[in-house]
Amino acid sequence: MVNIGDVARAAGVARSTASYAMSGKRAVSDEVRRRVQQVALELGYTPNAGARALATSRAMVIGLLAQFLPDEFAPAMLQYIQGVTNTARDLGYDILLSSDANGTAALKRLTDSRMVDGVVLLNVAEDDERLPVLRAAAQPGALVGLPGDCTGVDVFDLDFEEAGRVMVEHLVALGHRELILVSQPQHVVERGGAYVWRLQNAAVETAAQRGVRLRTVHAAAAQPDIGRELHALLGANPEATGLLLNNEAAAAALPTVLHERRLSAPADLSVVGRYSDEFARTFSLPYSSIESAPDRLGRMAVRQLVRRIEKEIADDAPNVVRFVAPELVDRGSTAPPRPA
Amino acid sequence: MVNIGDVARAAGVARSTASYAMSGKRAVSDEVRRRVQQVALELGYTPNAGARALATSRAMVIGLLAQFLPDEFAPAMLQYIQGVTNTARDLGYDILLSSDANGTAALKRLTDSRMVDGVVLLNVAEDDERLPVLRAAAQPGALVGLPGDCTGVDVFDLDFEEAGRVMVEHLVALGHRELILVSQPQHVVERGGAYVWRLQNAAVETAAQRGVRLRTVHAAAAQPDIGRELHALLGANPEATGLLLNNEAAAAALPTVLHERRLSAPADLSVVGRYSDEFARTFSLPYSSIESAPDRLGRMAVRQLVRRIEKEIADDAPNVVRFVAPELVDRGSTAPPRPA
DNA sequence: CTGAAAGCGCTTACAG
DNA sequence: CTGAAAGCGCTTACAG
């Protein structure tokens, strides 16, 4: 491959001058700059990334630590990945994707080897074991998801508490008094998926305040179990007129279940989910939902991360914990309950 | 960070000796090796990736060029990404993920800068404009998907012709004589999605040989269009008893459509799709299908790529074009047609 | 079996 | 405005 020495020689200048002419980090005569740029183009010069990283201590790469857990719904993950990847590229960074089941080892390897200038963590758990590693690393990190301890990292997440409140208030305002909330599997909670109980606790509290009944259940995150469980649930609770879903698999499975039970929303049952618009389209879900905004969260996380990497904010600038306000996207799946 | 000089000093040896002691590329006395390894562990030494890449001309990174096209079904893409990522990690490589809409520019940048040792291309089109760039690159490339011209690259794909034949033969053997094949949108074909007509042509030919009717249509790749189109299609062709789907979105939309039309498979209609088992589970699809084997294809592509990167096969070893034989996974959605 | 040195391809103070 | 040189942290011939 052609290197900067070749460019310099062809342009008749020193390598340093060639470097400066291309980076613009030092004043260079117009003529020399033009000549260097011209020659670089002709020779098809592209700087060697490893060499540049070594010299500048900047890899221009962001590590993306995703995990495809069997009990999380993979298509929902994809949207975060897309948001992060697109934003990173716009800001000049490439994405090194790790889906290693052993997240801590992967994180340590990527940061210690200086392959990445910063990392974005997805699937963050309440007591995420990757966080100590991240705090010990020299690079900054941004999380999508709220851990118990946010020190040393920037955090972005949906305001799940508010989401729970909004979902319940919405149905209560319509006159519903018998609600069911379907959450992620118990197993997700045990693993530290705090968003499950954050939404649930807020929903329970709101229901209590409003004096309506809210039954809460954990349900499977995959077919065919989730379908069976929804069937059983609806069969056992005919009095329920409002259904809240904080479980993507349940949302995806519901249309079939309702069809089979000859129920329709909102005539027989009002339904509100929590997922992204993109998700709704992919799975053709006709239910109003709290927008989970994966693209936006991914974008926010990368933007903040890049600000830290490029020292646009002081090294010791306080970390941010930012919540996206839940927005209820109306798809017409809720209405006043049918008169008893 | 601690570097190899720190390790060498702490172990009381030369940097070269420290390097050899860790890599094992040169004989080193047992005592020295132990001491170096011990010290490296204590100091938490991890080699600097950029420096190593510069010295060895090996980044230990594979570029993964995916494209999230609006007319391809994103969840189906994810499975290829997972297959590639997992296999790469097993073989010691990290994945640099590009989902840049401008694939040729991304490919050129990644290869010219030596950020990657090789690349895997997804969404390969008949006349893929990334291929000239790849052939001009110094690094080897492996494709998932069959282009018109395979010179200079290793190619892995499902045998779509055979898939078309198997689908038709299966239904013909059951006694069906009126079939419909729903393919990807016309737009995918125009963009060079050869797998669409590879399957379709083979299906048409097989149907002709068997003397059965096969109607072919292109349909949308997203909701809600695809649902409407399936409705119209079934309404307009009540004589059809067998439905073939080479369109993931159509498969995902079909359960709802059948429900609404009060049809069920296989009682009223025999259905055969073409998607992965994982996809079937995610979307709860009860239809028998040709397994598209994204994980296996991703694995094969990475394995071959690494073989080339590591020169386990001669530089001029002939390129391979390998097809995965379609396997029909029986989910009970086909049966003899209902007597007229 | 081990060490001193060159070199990978950049960037960036240091000099002029 | 430009150049010669040092240095980033490795690996690997070259010497002994």
Side-chain angles (χ1 to χ4, degrees):
Chain A
M1 280 309 296
V2 31
N3 62 29
I4 200 173
D6 300 327
V7 173
R9 198 172 323 115
V13 298
R15 299 191 318 163
S16 53
T17 303
S19 177
Y20 286 122
M22 293 189 282
S23 71
K25 287 188 184 174
R26 183 167 90 171
V28 163
S29 75
D30 275 14
E31 204 227 311
V32 165
R33 180 168 358 94
R34 256 195 297 275
R35 202 147 29 110
V36 168
Q37 287 175 341
Q38 165 78 8
V39 163
L41 206 65
E42 282 172 12
L43 299 183
Y45 169 71
T46 304
N48 179 298
R52 176 175 278 182
L54 186 57
T56 62
S57 303
R58 283 280 159 79
M60 299 310 288
V61 173
I62 288 172
L64 175 55
L65 290 182
Q67 298 180 296
F68 294 106
L69 303 164
D71 54 6
E72 302 220 345
F73 206 59
M77 287 295 304
L78 182 58
Q79 299 171 56
Y80 292 96
I81 296 179
Q82 288 190 254
V84 167
T85 307
N86 294 336
T87 306
R89 190 81 287 283
D90 288 346
L91 298 177
Y93 288 78
D94 281 298
I95 287 294
L96 206 139
L97 174 68
S98 160
S99 56
D100 209 320
N102 186 343
T104 65
L107 180 56
K108 185 156 171 45
R109 196 170 51 76
L110 293 185
T111 52
D112 282 357
S113 69
R114 302 282 176 162
M115 290 186 89
V116 301
D117 302 321
V119 297
V120 172
L121 263 55
L122 301 184
N123 301 81
V124 176
E126 169 76 5
D127 185 24
D128 202 299
E129 55 180 2
R130 296 170 298 181
L131 286 185
V133 177
L134 180 53
R135 291 196 187 97
Q139 298 96 330
L143 319 189
V144 176
L146 176 69
D149 177 359
C150 295
T151 56
V153 292
D154 292 314
V155 176
F156 301 87
D157 203 3
L158 181 68
D159 186 341
F160 279 92
E161 277 91 359
E162 182 62 14
R165 284 189 285 270
V166 169
M167 290 167 96
V168 171
E169 293 284 12
H170 176 73
L171 291 177
V172 168
L174 287 168
H176 294 267
R177 308 198 53 80
E178 293 283 349
L179 309 177
I180 304 179
L181 168 61
V182 176
S183 294
Q184 304 275 8
Q186 180 67 36
H187 181 241
V188 173
V189 177
E190 284 156 15
R191 204 186 50 227
Y195 65 100
V196 177
W197 50 258
R198 279 163 59 207
L199 188 148
Q200 179 168 312
N201 288 357
V204 166
E205 194 177 328
T206 307
Q209 283 167 4
R210 296 303 180 193
V212 306
R213 230 160 73 119
L214 175 68
R215 184 181 300 275
T216 64
V217 301
H218 293 281
Q223 289 281 8
D225 296 3
I226 180 63
R228 273 200 298 270
E229 295 181 22
L230 286 175
H231 261 295
L233 185 69
L234 295 177
N237 297 279
E239 77 289 354
T241 61
L243 187 60
L244 313 181
L245 304 172
N246 186 24
N247 176 327
E248 279 102 342
L254 190 61
T256 304
V257 173
L258 291 186
H259 259 103
E260 285 168 11
R261 300 190 71 79
R262 315 222 169 249
L263 295 176
S264 74
D268 306 301
L269 192 67
S270 284
V271 179
V272 184
R274 196 272 313 148
Y275 41 76
S276 73
D277 191 59
E278 174 67 21
F279 188 86
R281 246 173 302 154
T282 299
F283 284 84
S284 188
L285 300 183
Y287 315 121
S288 299
S289 69
I290 298 290
E291 170 63 44
S292 59
D295 46 352
R296 208 170 134 206
L297 286 164
R299 205 173 340 118
M300 290 167 74
V302 171
R303 285 224 179 107
Q304 174 72 4
L305 184 63
V306 169
R307 260 182 239 122
R308 286 214 186 264
I309 291 172
E310 302 186 346
K311 313 274 186 206
E312 284 173 26
I313 50 185
D315 258 13
D316 57 351
N319 288 106
V320 307
V321 178
R322 215 152 274 164
F323 294 106
V324 167
E327 238 175 272
L328 184 63
V329 179
D330 187 354
R331 295 194 184 84
S333 63
T334 64
R338 146 180 308 182
Chain B
M1 282 307 296
V2 31
N3 62 31
I4 201 172
D6 301 326
V7 173
R9 197 171 325 116
V13 298
R15 300 190 319 162
S16 54
T17 302
S19 175
Y20 286 122
M22 294 190 281
S23 71
K25 289 189 182 171
R26 183 167 90 172
V28 163
S29 76
D30 274 12
E31 203 227 311
V32 166
R33 178 166 1 91
R34 257 196 296 276
R35 200 146 31 108
V36 168
Q37 287 174 343
Q38 165 78 8
V39 163
L41 207 63
E42 281 172 11
L43 299 183
Y45 169 70
T46 305
N48 180 297
R52 177 175 277 181
L54 186 58
T56 61
S57 303
R58 283 278 161 79
M60 299 309 288
V61 173
I62 289 173
L64 175 55
L65 290 182
Q67 298 179 295
F68 295 106
L69 302 165
D71 53 7
E72 302 220 343
F73 206 58
M77 286 296 303
L78 183 59
Q79 299 171 55
Y80 292 96
I81 295 178
Q82 287 190 255
V84 167
T85 306
N86 294 338
T87 307
R89 189 81 289 280
D90 288 347
L91 298 177
Y93 287 79
D94 280 299
I95 287 294
L96 206 138
L97 174 66
S98 159
S99 56
D100 208 320
N102 187 343
T104 64
L107 180 56
K108 185 158 171 40
R109 195 170 52 76
L110 294 185
T111 51
D112 281 358
S113 69
R114 301 281 177 166
M115 291 186 88
V116 300
D117 302 322
V119 297
V120 173
L121 263 54
L122 301 183
N123 301 80
V124 175
E126 168 76 4
D127 185 23
D128 202 301
E129 55 181 2
R130 296 170 298 182
L131 286 184
V133 177
L134 180 52
R135 292 196 187 97
Q139 298 95 330
L143 318 190
V144 177
L146 175 69
D149 177 0
C150 294
T151 55
V153 292
D154 292 315
V155 175
F156 302 87
D157 203 2
L158 180 69
D159 186 341
F160 279 90
E161 277 91 0
E162 182 64 13
R165 284 189 285 269
V166 169
M167 290 167 97
V168 171
E169 293 283 13
H170 175 73
L171 291 178
V172 167
L174 287 168
H176 294 270
R177 309 197 53 78
E178 292 283 348
L179 309 177
I180 303 181
L181 167 62
V182 176
S183 295
Q184 305 273 7
Q186 180 67 37
H187 181 241
V188 172
V189 177
E190 283 156 14
R191 205 185 51 228
Y195 66 99
V196 177
W197 49 258
R198 278 162 59 207
L199 187 148
Q200 177 168 314
N201 288 357
V204 165
E205 193 177 330
T206 307
Q209 282 167 4
R210 297 303 179 193
V212 306
R213 231 159 72 120
L214 174 68
R215 186 180 300 274
T216 65
V217 300
H218 294 281
Q223 287 281 10
D225 296 3
I226 180 63
R228 275 200 296 271
E229 293 181 22
L230 286 175
H231 261 296
L233 185 68
L234 295 177
N237 298 277
E239 78 288 357
T241 62
L243 186 61
L244 313 181
L245 304 173
N246 185 26
N247 177 328
E248 280 102 343
L254 190 61
T256 303
V257 172
L258 291 187
H259 260 101
E260 285 169 8
R261 300 190 70 81
R262 315 221 170 251
L263 296 176
S264 74
D268 307 300
L269 191 67
S270 284
V271 179
V272 184
R274 195 271 313 150
Y275 41 76
S276 73
D277 191 58
E278 173 67 20
F279 188 87
R281 246 174 303 154
T282 299
F283 284 83
S284 186
L285 300 183
Y287 316 120
S288 300
S289 70
I290 298 290
E291 170 62 44
S292 58
D295 46 353
R296 206 168 137 209
L297 285 165
R299 201 170 347 114
M300 290 168 75
V302 171
R303 287 224 178 108
Q304 173 73 4
L305 185 62
V306 169
R307 259 182 240 123
R308 286 212 185 264
I309 291 172
E310 302 186 346
K311 313 274 185 206
E312 284 172 26
I313 51 185
D315 257 13
D316 58 350
N319 288 104
V320 307
V321 177
R322 214 152 275 162
F323 293 106
V324 167
E327 237 175 272
L328 184 62
V329 179
D330 188 353
R331 296 192 184 84
S333 64
T334 64
R338 145 180 307 182

